[in-house]
């Protein structure tokens, strides 16, 4: 198990035990946005040549209105010099959170843009198929599919594209 996974599991347990899982999850998502948008900040916070007081002043706008959980998290990350892994730690936490909540992420590729109704119906059907409480789709359009959709999650791929069906018919005719 990687260090990021260990941190993520520990944070999940702490937030669950203190009944702060939902707020902690939301706080971590916001923190992720800050560090993803400012990758140089990670480098500076990890640089041993930068004085601690300078690092604290850089973190001040982030911690100013932050929860105690986020303040403690950032302190632990700083103390153990884990800033280079901070995004991975938050991503691993998100995976643990989503596994617990039975949330599945999947990519949907369609030949044309899906309507909200189509996306909702597809999500409901996929939820039943994989036993998820909620499905979050990342949608893309690929006109080469001709028609239909492809759904890819970490556990499965469902290819209902016309392109694949045509290729299967070609194979049958050629053999």
């Amino acid at each position: 198990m990687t260090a990021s996974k260990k941190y993520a599991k520990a944070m999940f347990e702490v937030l669950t035990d203190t009944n702060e899982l939902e707020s902690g999850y939301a706080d971590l998502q916001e923190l992720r946005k800050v560090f993803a948008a400012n990758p140089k900040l990670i480098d500076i916070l990890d640089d041993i040549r930068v004085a601690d007081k300078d690092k604290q002043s850089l973190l001040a706008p982030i911690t100013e209105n932050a929860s105690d959980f986020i303040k403690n998290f950032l302190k632990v990350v700083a103390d153990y010099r884990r800033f280079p892994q901070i995004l991975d730690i938050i991503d691993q936490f998100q995976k643990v959170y989503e596994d617990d909540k039975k949330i599945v992420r999947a990519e949907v590729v369609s030949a044309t843009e899906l309507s909200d109704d189509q996306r909702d119906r597809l999500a409901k059907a996929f939820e039943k198929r994989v036993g998820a409480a909620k499905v979050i789709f990342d949608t893309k359009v690929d006109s080469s599919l001709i028609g239909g959709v492809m759904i890819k999650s970490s556990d499965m791929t469902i290819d209902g594209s016309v392109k694949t069906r045509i290729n299967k018919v070609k194979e049958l005719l050629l053999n």
Side-chain angles (χ1 to χ4, degrees), residues 105-122:
R105 291 185 178 269
E107 178 183 68
V108 175
V109 182
S110 58
T112 60
E113 190 72 34
L114 297 174
S115 70
D116 290 342
D117 182 53
Q118 289 172 319
R119 206 171 15 260
D120 291 343
R121 288 193 337 243
L122 197 57

Side-chain angles (χ1 to χ4, degrees), residues 114-142:
L114 297 174
S115 70
D116 290 342
D117 182 53
Q118 289 172 319
R119 206 171 15 260
D120 291 343
R121 288 193 337 243
L122 197 57
K124 293 287 183 224
F126 195 66
E127 284 171 5
K128 284 183 184 175
R129 176 99 183 239
V130 297
K134 181 180 178 183
V135 171
I136 299 171
F137 282 147
D138 175 25
T139 59
K140 295 183 179 162
V141 175
D142 179 357

Side-chain angles (χ1 to χ4, degrees), residues 3 37 40-41 43 46 69 83 90 100 102 117 128-129 137 141 151 160-162:
K40 294 262 188 236
L41 179 59
D43 295 337
D46 189 53
F69 167 72
F83 274 108
I90 296 170
D100 182 70
K102 296 187 183 203
D117 182 53
K128 284 183 184 175
R129 176 99 183 239
F137 282 147
V141 175
I151 304 173
S161 67
V162 173

